[in-house]
Amino acid sequence: MPDAHGDVSGSGRPGDAATDAGFKPLVPGMRWLLYTAAVLVLLAGFQLFVFTERSGTFFAWTILNPLAAAFLGAAYWASVAIETLAGRQRVWANARIAVPTVLIFTVLTLVASLLHLDKFHLGAGFAAGTRLVTWAWLAIYVLVPLLMVFVLIVQARTPGSEPPRQAPLPGWICAVLAGQAVVLLGAGVALFAVPDQANAFWPWKLTPLLAQVTGAWLISLGVAAVHALYERDARRLRPAAVGYLLLVVLQVIALARYPALFASGSAAGIIYAIVLASMLVVGAAGLILGLPPGILAHRNGRNPA
């Protein structure tokens, strides 16, 4: 049932009546898998965004380009918000945007890792702690997609109805999301499929391994944009909207830290900046449109009743 303001968003807050309305709930296994994934990406982001120039010691492989490392760290930290907020939802429809993104990214990153095992810190010449981090990396990317597929099957078999869409996305947001999907999926597939030619269409230097992992992130973000078009409801996109905003802020910080490594005047650099700007706009608009009706009415000076 809707709450006092007609909100059936199922955000997971105490007193939320959405789970009593017969809507398909987020199953506990998926909730805890999302929370676990959030902790893991928090740690990975710390390794890359804080210890950016010390990946030879604190990460699974050495990243010589600090801007490339900071980009990955920013993406990991932005996904903390997506996974944590998705895990807080009570209704499956309001959490599921995080799931295909996580699943596709982990599968593609596992493939990239296995294709470049020679680059990883696995040999006896590395410190024990560094080798432990590397083995943990490989184990995570093997286990997480397997567990997610299993929990997805459980989630699909869980009874419950679909909640109504309460905050339809305006046409202009859908158009921007469609453009993002085309650019992100196109660039991501290119980076993953032909990593040796990556430097020709990316605004900073990448090794083949970095190109494929970067491509995995872009593909997963493109999938999130497509999923947002499928949902077409700002209430269901709250986790992604917050993640979008955090990603933009962190990427801007990364660029500010290493401006000399970013080809700002190139076509790739300009497109990159435009995509970031579009993410900022869509994230902010989606977050505002997804606010409960009572909050929106109060901000507009109207009585929600």
Side-chain angles (χ1 to χ4, degrees):
M1 294 176 62
D3 64 17
H5 300 301
D7 185 14
V8 294
S9 61
S11 64
R13 293 184 297 271
D16 194 333
T19 53
D20 299 324
F23 303 138
K24 178 177 287 194
L26 181 67
V27 298
M30 185 64 77
R31 184 186 314 281
W32 288 108
L33 185 56
L34 287 168
Y35 283 155
T36 301
V39 172
L40 294 174
V41 294
L42 175 66
L43 296 175
F46 196 84
Q47 291 169 302
L48 293 170
F49 204 78
V50 177
F51 296 114
T52 309
E53 298 181 42
R54 300 183 65 185
S55 58
T57 301
F58 296 109
F59 196 56
W61 80 88
T62 302
I63 301 176
L64 295 178
N65 185 340
L67 178 55
F71 168 87
L72 296 179
Y76 277 117
W77 269 356
S79 65
V80 173
I82 298 174
E83 291 160 1
T84 301
L85 293 175
R88 290 189 67 249
Q89 306 304 311
R90 294 189 179 187
V91 176
W92 165 237
N94 298 328
R96 62 190 173 202
I97 191 167
V99 175
T101 301
V102 173
L103 180 58
I104 288 172
F105 172 73
T106 52
V107 170
L108 291 177
T109 301
L110 175 61
V111 172
S113 300
L114 295 177
L115 290 173
H116 300 279
L117 271 180
D118 59 312
K119 303 296 183 183
F120 282 74
H121 300 152
L122 296 170
F126 298 100
T130 304
R131 294 202 306 273
L132 179 62
V133 167
T134 305
W135 281 112
W137 167 279
L138 295 173
I140 287 167
Y141 283 100
V142 170
L143 291 175
V144 168
L146 291 175
L147 290 172
M148 185 156 281
V149 169
F150 173 77
V151 179
L152 262 176
I153 294 172
V154 176
Q155 181 71 67
R157 293 178 175 176
T158 301
S161 61
E162 187 84 355
R165 288 175 168 82
Q166 288 200 311
L169 294 179
W172 70 268
I173 291 184
C174 293
V176 175
L177 284 168
Q180 288 177 356
V182 170
V183 174
L184 291 169
L185 289 173
V189 170
L191 286 171
F192 200 87
V194 287
D196 291 326
Q197 289 76 43
N199 285 326
F201 51 85
W202 195 248
W204 58 80
K205 292 183 178 180
L206 297 171
T207 64
L209 172 57
L210 274 173
Q212 290 193 311
V213 175
T214 301
W217 272 114
L218 298 183
I219 291 171
S220 65
L221 290 170
V223 168
V226 173
H227 193 137
L229 287 172
Y230 166 76
E231 298 290 359
R232 290 179 178 267
D233 187 335
R235 299 287 176 80
R236 301 182 184 185
L237 306 183
R238 287 174 182 169
V242 175
Y244 256 37
L245 293 175
L246 185 56
L247 179 64
V248 172
V249 171
L250 292 171
Q251 294 295 351
V252 169
I253 292 173
L255 293 175
R257 289 171 66 188
Y258 304 105
L261 301 178
F262 180 67
S264 57
S266 66
I270 293 171
I271 293 172
Y272 185 85
I274 291 173
V275 171
L276 281 186
S278 72
M279 286 183 166
L280 178 64
V281 171
V282 169
L287 195 59
I288 293 170
L289 291 171
L291 290 173
I295 295 178
L296 285 175
H298 175 72
R299 290 190 174 186
N300 291 330
R302 301 194 303 270
N303 187 335

